[in-house]
Every structure is written in C-alpha cells, then in structure tokens.
Amino acid sequence: MKKAYIIIVMLALCLIANAQEDRKFSPEKFDAALQHYITNEAKLTQQEALKFFPIYREMQSKQRPLFDRQRKLVTEQPQDEASSLKAIRERDEIDLEMKRIQKTYHERFLELLPASKVYNIIKAEDNFYRNTFRRFSHNQRRTHPMTQGKKTNQK
C-alpha cells in the first residue's frame, strides 16, 4: 500500500513538473506561431512567405533593442521632475523610431507583395499580439495566488 501511494505521488509530481515545463516561453515556438498565423490570415502563398519572412525578421531584429529599452523604461520609476521629463522624451523617441522602422519596412513589403496582402499582414500581426497577450493575461489571472477562487469579469 505504501509503495502504491509513493508511486502515485511520484507520478503526480512528474505530471506537474511536465506541465510547468510546457508553460515556459519559447521564442522559437512563439515566432513559428506568429509566422503560421500571419501566413494563414494574410493568405500568403509559400513563395510569398519565403520572400516576406526574411525581411520581416530583419525588421523585428531592428525593433527588438527598442522594445528592450521601452521595457526598461516601464520598470523604472523616475524620482524627480528632470528624470521624469527625460523618461517621457525617451519614450517618445522610441515610439517615433519604431514608426520609422515600420514605415521603411512596410515600403519594402510593398515591393514584394500587393498592398492588400501587406495590409492583411499588418492586421494579422496586431491580432496575433493582442490575442497572445490576452491569453497570457488570462492565464496569469487564473494562476496568480491573489486571484484564485475569485471570479473575474471576462467577455
């Protein structure tokens, strides 16, 4: 009886550990899911996808340092007026640089694909991120100890 109990506990621990591993963020899986979503939503052919995604990844690699700077600014709390003003201006500069990069790459996309497909790609990317963050937020609320047992107003 004791051995059966130990085996059941060990099996449960293995299942819990495996479930925890599945929740870890994988950039490769995220990028693959994004690429799959954009391809399907924008109805890209295989040839179009092969031309588009290398340039798209190039755009993302230029945006990544800006996202990192933006994330760093969000976590900092300015202590005085001068540092608050500096943070505001830096955020604005980051936003403008992001838009400049997007505009440049949107023009490059338009050289490869029809405008309707580029528009659908932009919409698909926005929807993918919105849905992903909504799911992440929902999972965080569901697993966060402060919200367990509470009902949340979900749509």
Side-chain angles (χ1 to χ4, degrees), residues 23-24 28 76 80 91 94 98 120-121 146 154:
R23 286 191 199 167
K24 289 183 180 175
E28 296 81 20
E76 293 176 354
D80 57 26
R91 287 183 72 157
I94 291 169
M98 291 282 254
N120 289 338
I121 287 167
M146 294 298 289
Q154 304 265 333

Side-chain angles (χ1 to χ4, degrees), residues 1-45:
M1 184 68 173
K2 201 173 194 181
K3 284 183 182 180
Y5 179 73
I6 290 172
I7 291 172
I8 291 171
V9 170
M10 293 301 286
L11 181 62
L13 289 174
C14 287
L15 290 173
I16 291 169
N18 191 30
Q20 293 287 333
E21 295 240 344
D22 290 344
R23 286 191 199 167
K24 289 183 180 175
F25 178 75
S26 166
E28 296 81 20
K29 285 182 182 178
F30 183 84
D31 288 342
L34 173 62
Q35 184 170 331
H36 179 75
Y37 188 85
I38 288 173
T39 301
N40 287 340
E41 291 297 308
K43 296 177 179 50
L44 296 178
T45 66

Side-chain angles (χ1 to χ4, degrees), residues 87-150:
I88 290 168
R89 289 192 173 141
E90 188 171 354
R91 287 183 72 157
D92 288 347
E93 281 305 313
I94 291 169
D95 287 343
L96 290 172
E97 183 59 24
M98 291 282 254
K99 284 299 176 188
R100 282 194 276 284
I101 290 170
Q102 282 180 343
K103 183 177 182 192
T104 299
Y105 279 89
H106 289 171
E107 292 298 325
R108 288 184 64 189
F109 299 159
L110 289 166
E111 292 171 8
L112 300 172
L113 302 168
S116 59
K117 290 217 176 180
V118 172
Y119 182 79
N120 289 338
I121 287 167
I122 294 167
K123 274 181 40 178
E125 181 185 33
D126 288 344
N127 288 337
F128 179 83
Y129 285 119
R130 187 176 303 111
N131 293 337
T132 300
F133 291 125
R134 186 176 296 137
R135 272 194 315 275
F136 176 76
S137 175
H138 175 73
N139 288 342
Q140 288 296 97
R141 279 194 301 262
R142 201 176 67 213
T143 60
H144 192 276
M146 294 298 289
T147 59
Q148 284 184 346
K150 293 181 183 178

Side-chain angles (χ1 to χ4, degrees), residues 50-67:
L50 287 172
K51 290 189 297 185
F52 169 74
F53 282 105
I55 296 171
Y56 180 78
R57 283 190 288 278
E58 182 182 310
M59 179 184 76
Q60 286 183 314
S61 71
K62 289 186 178 183
Q63 289 176 322
R64 192 161 289 115
L66 297 171
F67 284 128

Side-chain angles (χ1 to χ4, degrees), residues 65-81:
L66 297 171
F67 284 128
D68 293 342
R69 282 178 45 207
Q70 216 170 32
R71 191 172 31 253
K72 184 179 179 226
L73 280 172
V74 168
T75 61
E76 293 176 354
Q77 180 61 43
Q79 299 300 314
D80 57 26
E81 289 299 311

